[in-house]
Amino acid sequence: MKQRIIRAFAGTFILISLLLAIKLNNLNWLWVTAFVGANLLQSSITKWCLLEVILGKLGVKD
């Protein structure tokens, strides 16, 4: 369940930041997209994700 929430969270943030960049005509929102992508890459390399730790403390099962 944690992995589904993490993927949904990342996907939602990416889509929202892209929509804000287009709608507000401000490319600075793309930095959010880059940040989420960098975190996804980092977690795939290190096998550590802060959101996974937070979800575990909130009692979300694997």
Side-chain angles (χ1 to χ4, degrees):
M1 188 65 169
K2 282 185 201 176
Q3 295 302 316
R4 291 183 72 187
I5 294 172
I6 291 169
R7 289 185 182 110
F9 192 84
T12 301
F13 265 80
I14 288 171
L15 290 175
I16 288 172
S17 66
L18 287 172
L19 287 172
L20 287 170
I22 293 168
K23 194 73 167 163
L24 299 176
N25 200 18
N26 186 348
L27 295 180
N28 286 327
W29 284 104
L30 296 178
W31 286 107
V32 175
T33 305
F35 179 75
V36 173
N39 277 303
L40 287 170
L41 181 62
Q42 170 270 324
S43 69
S44 73
I45 294 168
T46 63
K47 295 182 176 66
W48 183 83
C49 176
L50 179 60
L51 183 56
E52 186 174 3
V53 173
I54 292 170
L55 291 172
K57 291 188 185 238
L58 291 174
V60 177
K61 306 266 189 226
D62 279 334

